[in-house]
PDB file of all heavy atoms in Angstrom:
ATOM      1  N   ALA G  49      83.251  87.194 112.593  1.00 95.00           N
ATOM      2  CA  ALA G  49      83.061  88.620 112.950  1.00 95.00           C
ATOM      3  C   ALA G  49      83.566  88.976 114.326  1.00 95.00           C
ATOM      4  O   ALA G  49      83.652  90.133 114.688  1.00 95.00           O
ATOM      5  CB  ALA G  49      81.648  89.052 112.745  1.00 95.00           C
ATOM      6  N   THR G  50      83.860  87.936 115.126  1.00 95.00           N
ATOM      7  CA  THR G  50      84.297  88.214 116.504  1.00 95.00           C
ATOM      8  C   THR G  50      85.780  87.850 116.729  1.00 95.00           C
ATOM      9  O   THR G  50      86.253  87.714 117.856  1.00 95.00           O
ATOM     10  CB  THR G  50      83.412  87.446 117.508  1.00 95.00           C
ATOM     11  OG1 THR G  50      83.438  86.041 117.179  1.00 95.00           O
ATOM     12  CG2 THR G  50      81.960  87.899 117.492  1.00 95.00           C
ATOM     13  N   GLY G  51      86.493  87.672 115.634  1.00 94.00           N
ATOM     14  CA  GLY G  51      87.945  87.353 115.737  1.00 94.00           C
ATOM     15  C   GLY G  51      88.790  88.558 116.132  1.00 94.00           C
ATOM     16  O   GLY G  51      88.315  89.766 116.046  1.00 94.00           O
ATOM     17  N   LEU G  52      89.984  88.336 116.560  1.00 95.00           N
ATOM     18  CA  LEU G  52      90.894  89.390 116.984  1.00 95.00           C
ATOM     19  C   LEU G  52      91.179  90.345 115.848  1.00 95.00           C
ATOM     20  O   LEU G  52      91.450  89.957 114.777  1.00 95.00           O
ATOM     21  CB  LEU G  52      92.184  88.783 117.459  1.00 95.00           C
ATOM     22  CG  LEU G  52      93.217  89.713 118.122  1.00 95.00           C
ATOM     23  CD1 LEU G  52      92.610  90.387 119.367  1.00 95.00           C
ATOM     24  CD2 LEU G  52      94.528  88.979 118.474  1.00 95.00           C
ATOM     25  N   PHE G  53      91.083  91.678 116.153  1.00 96.00           N
ATOM     26  CA  PHE G  53      91.302  92.754 115.206  1.00 96.00           C
ATOM     27  C   PHE G  53      90.265  92.814 114.064  1.00 96.00           C
ATOM     28  O   PHE G  53      90.541  93.396 113.010  1.00 96.00           O
ATOM     29  CB  PHE G  53      92.731  92.719 114.645  1.00 96.00           C
ATOM     30  CG  PHE G  53      93.759  92.727 115.691  1.00 96.00           C
ATOM     31  CD1 PHE G  53      94.836  91.919 115.666  1.00 96.00           C
ATOM     32  CD2 PHE G  53      93.706  93.685 116.722  1.00 96.00           C
ATOM     33  CE1 PHE G  53      95.852  91.979 116.638  1.00 96.00           C
ATOM     34  CE2 PHE G  53      94.673  93.709 117.696  1.00 96.00           C
ATOM     35  CZ  PHE G  53      95.729  92.890 117.677  1.00 96.00           C
ATOM     36  N   CYS G  54      89.081  92.204 114.283  1.00 97.00           N
ATOM     37  CA  CYS G  54      88.005  92.308 113.355  1.00 97.00           C
ATOM     38  C   CYS G  54      87.203  93.632 113.664  1.00 97.00           C
ATOM     39  O   CYS G  54      86.897  93.870 114.843  1.00 97.00           O
ATOM     40  CB  CYS G  54      87.074  91.117 113.414  1.00 97.00           C
ATOM     41  SG  CYS G  54      87.664  89.695 112.556  1.00 97.00           S
ATOM     42  N   TYR G  55      86.905  94.383 112.640  1.00 98.00           N
ATOM     43  CA  TYR G  55      86.042  95.551 112.810  1.00 98.00           C
ATOM     44  C   TYR G  55      84.662  95.159 112.278  1.00 98.00           C
ATOM     45  O   TYR G  55      84.505  94.851 111.100  1.00 98.00           O
ATOM     46  CB  TYR G  55      86.617  96.710 112.018  1.00 98.00           C
ATOM     47  CG  TYR G  55      85.817  97.973 112.057  1.00 98.00           C
ATOM     48  CD1 TYR G  55      85.399  98.504 113.280  1.00 98.00           C
ATOM     49  CD2 TYR G  55      85.477  98.646 110.885  1.00 98.00           C
ATOM     50  CE1 TYR G  55      84.657  99.701 113.318  1.00 98.00           C
ATOM     51  CE2 TYR G  55      84.728  99.827 110.918  1.00 98.00           C
ATOM     52  CZ  TYR G  55      84.328 100.291 112.139  1.00 98.00           C
ATOM     53  OH  TYR G  55      83.578 101.474 112.195  1.00 98.00           O
ATOM     54  N   SER G  56      83.705  95.125 113.150  1.00 98.00           N
ATOM     55  CA  SER G  56      82.384  94.552 112.877  1.00 98.00           C
ATOM     56  C   SER G  56      81.264  95.428 113.342  1.00 98.00           C
ATOM     57  O   SER G  56      81.423  96.301 114.183  1.00 98.00           O
ATOM     58  CB  SER G  56      82.292  93.152 113.476  1.00 98.00           C
ATOM     59  OG  SER G  56      83.311  92.284 113.054  1.00 98.00           O
ATOM     60  N   GLU G  57      80.083  95.126 112.808  1.00 97.00           N
ATOM     61  CA  GLU G  57      78.798  95.698 113.323  1.00 97.00           C
ATOM     62  C   GLU G  57      78.274  94.695 114.325  1.00 97.00           C
ATOM     63  O   GLU G  57      78.104  93.464 113.995  1.00 97.00           O
ATOM     64  CB  GLU G  57      77.856  95.989 112.208  1.00 97.00           C
ATOM     65  CG  GLU G  57      78.245  97.027 111.227  1.00 97.00           C
ATOM     66  CD  GLU G  57      77.212  97.263 110.151  1.00 97.00           C
ATOM     67  OE1 GLU G  57      76.265  96.514 110.092  1.00 97.00           O
ATOM     68  OE2 GLU G  57      77.415  98.210 109.344  1.00 97.00           O
ATOM     69  N   PHE G  58      77.954  95.150 115.538  1.00 97.00           N
ATOM     70  CA  PHE G  58      77.492  94.291 116.610  1.00 97.00           C
ATOM     71  C   PHE G  58      76.053  94.602 117.039  1.00 97.00           C
ATOM     72  O   PHE G  58      75.659  95.826 117.087  1.00 97.00           O
ATOM     73  CB  PHE G  58      78.398  94.407 117.823  1.00 97.00           C
ATOM     74  CG  PHE G  58      79.813  93.887 117.623  1.00 97.00           C
ATOM     75  CD1 PHE G  58      80.818  94.772 117.286  1.00 97.00           C
ATOM     76  CD2 PHE G  58      80.055  92.515 117.727  1.00 97.00           C
ATOM     77  CE1 PHE G  58      82.112  94.286 117.083  1.00 97.00           C
ATOM     78  CE2 PHE G  58      81.372  92.020 117.547  1.00 97.00           C
ATOM     79  CZ  PHE G  58      82.414  92.920 117.254  1.00 97.00           C
ATOM     80  N   SER G  59      75.308  93.586 117.292  1.00 96.00           N
ATOM     81  CA  SER G  59      74.026  93.751 117.973  1.00 96.00           C
ATOM     82  C   SER G  59      74.239  93.119 119.388  1.00 96.00           C
ATOM     83  O   SER G  59      74.563  91.937 119.503  1.00 96.00           O
ATOM     84  CB  SER G  59      72.928  92.977 117.244  1.00 96.00           C
ATOM     85  OG  SER G  59      71.711  93.028 117.945  1.00 96.00           O
ATOM     86  N   LEU G  60      74.113  93.953 120.397  1.00 96.00           N
ATOM     87  CA  LEU G  60      74.429  93.563 121.789  1.00 96.00           C
ATOM     88  C   LEU G  60      73.164  93.639 122.651  1.00 96.00           C
ATOM     89  O   LEU G  60      72.256  94.430 122.427  1.00 96.00           O
ATOM     90  CB  LEU G  60      75.491  94.504 122.346  1.00 96.00           C
ATOM     91  CG  LEU G  60      76.794  94.715 121.542  1.00 96.00           C
ATOM     92  CD1 LEU G  60      77.572  95.799 122.157  1.00 96.00           C
ATOM     93  CD2 LEU G  60      77.577  93.388 121.511  1.00 96.00           C
ATOM     94  N   SER G  61      73.148  92.780 123.678  1.00 94.00           N
ATOM     95  CA  SER G  61      72.205  92.899 124.745  1.00 94.00           C
ATOM     96  C   SER G  61      72.995  93.049 126.019  1.00 94.00           C
ATOM     97  O   SER G  61      74.055  92.475 126.200  1.00 94.00           O
ATOM     98  CB  SER G  61      71.267  91.649 124.805  1.00 94.00           C
ATOM     99  OG  SER G  61      72.037  90.475 124.916  1.00 94.00           O
ATOM    100  N   SER G  62      72.500  93.826 126.977  1.00 87.00           N
ATOM    101  CA  SER G  62      73.259  94.142 128.145  1.00 87.00           C
ATOM    102  C   SER G  62      72.889  93.204 129.285  1.00 87.00           C
ATOM    103  O   SER G  62      71.673  92.892 129.516  1.00 87.00           O
ATOM    104  CB  SER G  62      72.970  95.609 128.558  1.00 87.00           C
ATOM    105  OG  SER G  62      71.585  95.846 128.785  1.00 87.00           O
ATOM    106  N   GLY G  63      73.938  92.798 130.029  1.00 78.00           N
ATOM    107  CA  GLY G  63      73.744  91.923 131.191  1.00 78.00           C
ATOM    108  C   GLY G  63      74.060  92.741 132.444  1.00 78.00           C
ATOM    109  O   GLY G  63      74.191  93.983 132.375  1.00 78.00           O
ATOM    110  N   ARG G  64      74.265  92.070 133.566  1.00 77.00           N
ATOM    111  CA  ARG G  64      74.541  92.748 134.798  1.00 77.00           C
ATOM    112  C   ARG G  64      75.887  93.423 134.835  1.00 77.00           C
ATOM    113  O   ARG G  64      76.082  94.563 135.242  1.00 77.00           O
ATOM    114  CB  ARG G  64      74.477  91.744 135.987  1.00 77.00           C
ATOM    115  CG  ARG G  64      73.084  91.279 136.276  1.00 77.00           C
ATOM    116  CD  ARG G  64      73.092  90.383 137.533  1.00 77.00           C
ATOM    117  NE  ARG G  64      71.747  89.956 137.881  1.00 77.00           N
ATOM    118  CZ  ARG G  64      71.467  89.141 138.913  1.00 77.00           C
ATOM    119  NH1 ARG G  64      72.496  88.733 139.687  1.00 77.00           N
ATOM    120  NH2 ARG G  64      70.193  88.782 139.204  1.00 77.00           N
ATOM    121  N   SER G  65      76.925  92.709 134.305  1.00 77.00           N
ATOM    122  CA  SER G  65      78.286  93.220 134.388  1.00 77.00           C
ATOM    123  C   SER G  65      78.918  93.440 133.019  1.00 77.00           C
ATOM    124  O   SER G  65      79.918  94.122 132.884  1.00 77.00           O
ATOM    125  CB  SER G  65      79.204  92.286 135.163  1.00 77.00           C
ATOM    126  OG  SER G  65      79.193  91.018 134.612  1.00 77.00           O
ATOM    127  N   HIS G  66      78.389  92.849 131.990  1.00 83.00           N
ATOM    128  CA  HIS G  66      78.889  93.038 130.598  1.00 83.00           C
ATOM    129  C   HIS G  66      77.862  92.753 129.584  1.00 83.00           C
ATOM    130  O   HIS G  66      76.702  92.507 129.918  1.00 83.00           O
ATOM    131  CB  HIS G  66      80.131  92.110 130.400  1.00 83.00           C
ATOM    132  CG  HIS G  66      79.840  90.680 130.405  1.00 83.00           C
ATOM    133  ND1 HIS G  66      79.510  89.931 131.504  1.00 83.00           N
ATOM    134  CD2 HIS G  66      79.741  89.763 129.417  1.00 83.00           C
ATOM    135  CE1 HIS G  66      79.305  88.643 131.224  1.00 83.00           C
ATOM    136  NE2 HIS G  66      79.433  88.526 129.928  1.00 83.00           N
ATOM    137  N   PHE G  67      78.245  92.846 128.337  1.00 94.00           N
ATOM    138  CA  PHE G  67      77.278  92.657 127.215  1.00 94.00           C
ATOM    139  C   PHE G  67      77.336  91.225 126.654  1.00 94.00           C
ATOM    140  O   PHE G  67      78.298  90.472 126.931  1.00 94.00           O
ATOM    141  CB  PHE G  67      77.595  93.661 126.109  1.00 94.00           C
ATOM    142  CG  PHE G  67      77.390  95.070 126.485  1.00 94.00           C
ATOM    143  CD1 PHE G  67      78.378  95.857 127.086  1.00 94.00           C
ATOM    144  CD2 PHE G  67      76.138  95.680 126.308  1.00 94.00           C
ATOM    145  CE1 PHE G  67      78.188  97.164 127.438  1.00 94.00           C
ATOM    146  CE2 PHE G  67      75.906  97.005 126.632  1.00 94.00           C
ATOM    147  CZ  PHE G  67      76.933  97.750 127.191  1.00 94.00           C
ATOM    148  N   PHE G  68      76.334  90.889 125.880  1.00 96.00           N
ATOM    149  CA  PHE G  68      76.278  89.671 125.152  1.00 96.00           C
ATOM    150  C   PHE G  68      76.146  89.986 123.639  1.00 96.00           C
ATOM    151  O   PHE G  68      75.333  90.831 123.284  1.00 96.00           O
ATOM    152  CB  PHE G  68      75.132  88.806 125.594  1.00 96.00           C
ATOM    153  CG  PHE G  68      75.235  88.279 126.992  1.00 96.00           C
ATOM    154  CD1 PHE G  68      74.716  89.038 128.043  1.00 96.00           C
ATOM    155  CD2 PHE G  68      75.931  87.133 127.304  1.00 96.00           C
ATOM    156  CE1 PHE G  68      74.808  88.614 129.371  1.00 96.00           C
ATOM    157  CE2 PHE G  68      76.040  86.681 128.590  1.00 96.00           C
ATOM    158  CZ  PHE G  68      75.475  87.406 129.631  1.00 96.00           C
ATOM    159  N   VAL G  69      76.942  89.312 122.820  1.00 96.00           N
ATOM    160  CA  VAL G  69      76.867  89.505 121.359  1.00 96.00           C
ATOM    161  C   VAL G  69      75.792  88.634 120.804  1.00 96.00           C
ATOM    162  O   VAL G  69      75.864  87.389 120.822  1.00 96.00           O
ATOM    163  CB  VAL G  69      78.240  89.165 120.707  1.00 96.00           C
ATOM    164  CG1 VAL G  69      78.110  89.361 119.161  1.00 96.00           C
ATOM    165  CG2 VAL G  69      79.348  89.994 121.258  1.00 96.00           C
TER     166      VAL G  69
END
Side-chain angles (χ1 to χ4, degrees):
T50 56
L52 187 61
F53 303 134
C54 281
Y55 178 50
S56 303
E57 292 181 356
F58 293 97
S59 177
L60 307 170
S61 56
S62 58
R64 290 185 178 180
S65 59
H66 65 285
F67 294 89
F68 294 92
V69 179

